[in-house]
């Protein structure tokens, strides 16, 4: 859904059901940049690139899957519905590309569409803010299936 993520972490493997309402952003993974503490200096995260690829784990039923991926960052709450106010910040979005799986795609079908997205200027995310990968369902709502999404970031703290 667009309020909580399928998984927590800065990259990794996340399994999702492609049953998201059409036109809705689903948060595949989300990570809040550490705010620091009395013993740890807060640091900004700089993202230089993102790579995503996926594989079907369980046969897709009820329709094809078409996802539009985006990188969301800088928001002060995990929810994609967060708005900018005096006390909160909405996410900034960068489109990453599309991924699709045919109707009745079986276990083992892998998507290889996604080259690493490199950013000319690294994206800075401040302590306390979130960075998320979202998948917007552009197709029909499927009745079942599982997709494992592999997400990796090229990033550093400074």
């Amino acid at each position: 859904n667009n309020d909580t993520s399928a998984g927590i972490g800065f990259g990794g493997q996340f399994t999702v059901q492609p049953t998201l309402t059409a036109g809705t952003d689903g948060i595949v993974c989300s990570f809040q940049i550490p705010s620091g503490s009395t013993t740890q200096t807060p640091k900004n995260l700089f993202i230089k690139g993102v790579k995503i690829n996926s594989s079907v784990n369980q046969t897709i039923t009820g329709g094809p899957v078409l996802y539009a991926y985006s990188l969301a960052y800088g928001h002060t709450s995990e929810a994609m519905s967060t708005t900018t106010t005096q006390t909160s910040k909405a996410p900034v979005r960068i489109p990453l590309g599309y991924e699709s799986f045919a109707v009745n795609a079986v276990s083992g079908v892998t998507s290889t569409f996604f080259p690493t997205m490199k950013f000319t200027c690294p994206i800075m995310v401040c302590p306390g803010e979130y960075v998320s990968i979202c998948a917007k369902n552009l197709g029909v709502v499927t009745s079942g299936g599982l997709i494992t999404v592999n997400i990796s970031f090229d990033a550093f703290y400074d």
Side-chain angles (χ1 to χ4, degrees), residues 4 7 18 23 26-27 39 42 51 74 84 115:
T4 59
I27 306 169
T39 59
K51 182 174 177 86
T84 299

Side-chain angles (χ1 to χ4, degrees), residues 1-8 25-30 78-80 132:
N1 67 50
N2 66 358
D3 290 329
T4 59
S5 62
I8 302 296
D25 277 309
I27 306 169
V28 179
C29 72
S30 185
E78 186 175 25
M80 291 297 108
S132 305

Side-chain angles (χ1 to χ4, degrees), residues 17-77:
Q17 284 187 301
T19 54
L20 188 65
T21 302
T24 302
D25 277 309
I27 306 169
V28 179
C29 72
S30 185
F31 179 74
Q32 186 176 28
I33 309 308
S35 295
S37 67
T38 56
T39 59
Q40 182 185 33
T41 304
K43 295 182 179 185
N44 295 317
L45 177 73
F46 292 88
I47 301 171
K48 300 185 322 179
V50 180
K51 182 174 177 86
I52 300 173
N53 60 7
S54 304
S55 178
V56 174
N57 291 39
Q58 190 177 77
T59 301
I60 304 298
T61 58
V65 174
L66 175 58
Y67 283 152
Y69 284 99
S70 64
L71 170 69
Y73 69 94
H75 41 306
T76 53
S77 173

Side-chain angles (χ1 to χ4, degrees), residues 62-138:
V65 174
L66 175 58
Y67 283 152
Y69 284 99
S70 64
L71 170 69
Y73 69 94
H75 41 306
T76 53
S77 173
E78 186 175 25
M80 291 297 108
S81 58
T82 303
T83 59
T84 299
T85 67
Q86 289 182 335
T87 58
S88 66
K89 288 172 60 179
V92 175
R93 306 284 193 104
I94 296 177
L96 298 174
Y98 298 97
E99 177 175 58
S100 65
F101 291 99
V103 63
N104 297 326
V106 297
S107 182
V109 171
T110 302
S111 171
T112 57
F113 85 100
F114 226 106
T116 301
M117 173 70 87
K118 293 284 188 184
F119 303 118
T120 305
C121 182
I123 295 166
M124 184 180 82
V125 187
C126 299
E129 296 177 347
Y130 284 85
V131 59
S132 305
I133 297 293
C134 295
K136 180 177 280 191
N137 179 9
L138 299 178

